[in-house]
Amino acid sequence: MSDKLLVIGSSGQIGTELVLELRKIYGEKNVIASDIRSTSKKTLQNGPFELLDVMNEKKLFQIVKKHKITQVYLLAALLSARAEKNIELGWSLNMRSHSHVLDLAKEGFIKKIFWPSSIAVFGPNTPKKNTPQFTIMEPNTVYGISKLAGERWNEYYFNKFNVDVRSLRYPGLIGWRAKAGGGTTDYAVNIFHDAIQKQKYTCYLSKNTTLPMMYMPDAIEATIKLMESKSESITIRSSYNLSGVSFNPEEIANEISKHVPDFEIIYKQDYRQKIADSWPQSINDSYAKNDWNWQSKYDLKKMCTDMIKNLSTQYLNLVK
Ligand code: AKB
C-alpha cells in the first residue's frame, strides 16, 4: 500500500511549499492538505484539501480514517511573536495538537510523524555561536517552552511506545511562495516584499541582530531527507539542529541593495528584539550532517538573488 500523507497547516509558510514537493514525490491524490482556513491558494487546489482545526481531535481522527493516512506532517502552530501576545492559545494549540498526533501513532493509526521544532528552544544562557545539539536550553518565550516540551514528548513517545516521530529545529525560514506569519524572524521575509514594492523597509530588530536563517528550498529538502531516511540512521528523536545561513538586518539589506539600488532600511525596534536577543546566532548541525548526510545549499547571496527573481515575477504577474 502506498503512503498517504496529511499536512496539517498546509496554507502556512512551510505548508504551502511542502505540499507542492510532497505531491511531486507521492502523487497529488496521496497528499491531503489541511488547514483551519479554506484555501484560496492555487498550489493547494491541485489535490485533496480538508478543513481542519487541529484542536478538534474527533475531526482529525475522522480525516485520518477517511483517507487511510500513514504519515502526518504537523505544521500548525502559533509562532514566537504571536504566542507572546496570546500566551494561552500559544501553549494550548502547540501542545494539544502535538499530543493528538502522537497519540494517533501510539494507537497504531498512523506510522510516521514530522513535527517541527525551532531555534526558539534555546535561551539567553545557551552558547550563542555554533550552538551545539546538546547544551543549556532555557527558553524564555511561550513558543520556545512549548517547542522544548514537545521535543521531550517526541523522545518519550519514541522510547516508550516506539512512535516514529522525526523533527528539525528550524531556523528562521525565508521563502517567496507564502508570507511569514507571527514569528520573530519574519523581518527577513517582509524585507524582500517591501524592497520590491516600496524600496524601503522599517525593521523591528536592530541592525546587528544576527540570527540563524534558512532559505525555504533547503528547509524543504532537509524535511524530506529526514523523513525518507532509514529509521536506524536517526539517532536523535527529540529534534535535530539544522543550519543554513546566519546574517543580521544590515547584511541582508546590503545584499538586497545590490538588486534594488534605491533600497533604504530604517530601524525601529519593538518587543521582538528581546525574543531575538535570547536566541543563538549560529547553529552546529553536525548530527544532521553525520546521520543523514545533510548539507545546506544556499548562502546569503544565492538566496537573495533567487528570492528577488521569484518575488519580482510574482508581483509582475499580479499586476498583469
Ligand atoms: C519564529 O520566529 O518564531 C520562527 C522560528 C524561529 O521558529 N520563525
Side-chain angles (χ1 to χ4, degrees):
M1 196 186 77
S2 71
D3 271 309
K4 276 276 191 116
L5 282 59
L6 175 66
V7 179
I8 302 173
S10 59
S11 303
Q13 199 199 3
I14 307 171
T16 304
E17 309 232 13
L18 191 61
V19 167
L20 275 180
E21 279 313 303
L22 290 175
R23 283 187 173 154
K24 281 188 204 156
I25 301 170
Y26 291 91
E28 274 165 15
K29 63 175 193 334
N30 293 322
V31 179
I32 321 301
S34 73
D35 205 283
I36 195 165
R37 289 160 282 146
S38 62
T39 184
S40 57
K41 290 200 173 103
K42 261 206 189 117
T43 44
L44 294 179
Q45 285 163 357
N46 297 330
F49 178 85
E50 292 276 4
L51 210 54
L52 171 67
D53 173 356
V54 69
M55 302 284 256
N56 185 341
E57 201 174 358
K58 228 165 132 189
K59 177 94 191 271
L60 170 66
F61 186 49
Q62 279 165 6
I63 293 173
V64 164
K65 276 204 306 195
K66 174 178 159 195
H67 294 280
K68 300 192 171 58
I69 298 296
T70 58
Q71 297 187 24
V72 171
Y73 287 68
L74 173 55
L75 306 176
L78 221 59
L79 298 187
S80 57
R82 200 169 284 164
E84 286 310 294
K85 297 279 178 199
N86 197 340
I87 298 171
E88 267 171 37
L89 182 65
W91 179 252
S92 60
L93 172 67
N94 295 356
M95 296 312 297
R96 275 170 58 190
S97 58
H98 191 201
S99 60
H100 291 165
V101 173
L102 284 173
D103 283 338
L104 282 174
K106 178 184 154 208
E107 281 147 30
F109 293 104
I110 55 173
K111 289 200 204 112
K112 222 192 247 186
I113 300 169
F114 177 77
W115 175 85
S117 186
S118 159
I119 53 159
V121 292
F122 300 116
N125 298 323
T126 303
K128 290 250 174 248
K129 294 201 173 130
N130 203 25
T131 302
Q133 175 73 37
F134 300 106
T135 184
I136 299 169
M137 299 172 86
E138 293 171 349
N140 59 7
T141 61
V142 184
Y143 175 66
I145 297 169
S146 75
K147 286 295 176 189
L148 182 55
E151 287 193 5
R152 303 320 306 149
W153 279 120
N154 281 351
E155 201 179 279
Y156 186 85
Y157 268 67
F158 173 75
N159 287 332
K160 190 130 183 159
F161 308 117
N162 209 15
V163 165
D164 189 355
V165 53
R166 303 169 184 210
S167 176
L168 297 170
R169 289 174 181 155
Y170 285 133
L173 299 180
I174 299 154
W176 56 271
R177 278 202 173 83
K179 288 211 167 159
T184 302
T185 60
D186 290 8
Y187 93 84
V189 179
N190 301 341
I191 194 171
F192 285 100
H193 288 268
D194 282 11
I196 291 169
Q197 289 184 295
K198 309 182 210 155
Q199 294 78 55
K200 189 173 174 173
Y201 178 66
T202 305
C203 186
Y204 55 77
L205 298 181
S206 70
K207 63 180 176 185
N208 54 4
T209 307
T210 300
L211 288 171
M213 300 280 189
M214 179 174 273
Y215 195 35
M216 196 58 89
D218 271 341
I220 300 297
E221 193 189 322
T223 307
I224 293 174
K225 222 170 162 47
L226 172 70
M227 287 300 275
E228 295 201 330
S229 293
K230 286 206 177 82
S231 189
E232 310 82 77
S233 59
I234 297 172
T235 63
I236 291 177
R237 289 293 178 163
S238 51
S239 190
Y240 277 95
N241 270 11
L242 190 70
S243 170
V245 51
S246 285
F247 56 80
N248 63 38
E250 189 175 36
E251 287 161 339
I252 193 172
N254 287 341
E255 201 53 47
I256 290 173
S257 299
K258 293 180 189 163
H259 303 266
V260 185
D262 296 335
F263 179 57
E264 191 196 339
I265 183 165
I266 53 171
Y267 298 94
K268 211 171 156 195
Q269 290 155 247
D270 68 14
Y271 72 101
R272 287 168 282 192
Q273 183 67 50
K274 201 168 155 230
I275 303 176
D277 287 342
S278 76
W279 289 351
Q281 296 181 354
S282 60
I283 300 288
N284 180 317
D285 62 357
S286 52
Y287 279 86
K289 287 192 167 105
N290 293 335
D291 287 0
W292 40 276
N293 272 325
W294 163 245
Q295 185 57 58
S296 68
K297 296 198 175 84
Y298 286 84
D299 60 13
L300 181 60
K301 190 177 154 85
K302 204 169 157 199
M303 177 187 84
C304 288
T305 308
D306 200 67
M307 262 306 269
I308 288 174
K309 189 180 103 208
N310 283 302
L311 211 51
S312 307
T313 316
Q314 197 176 52
Y315 276 116
L316 272 179
N317 289 339
L318 275 181
V319 265
K320 265 187 205 162

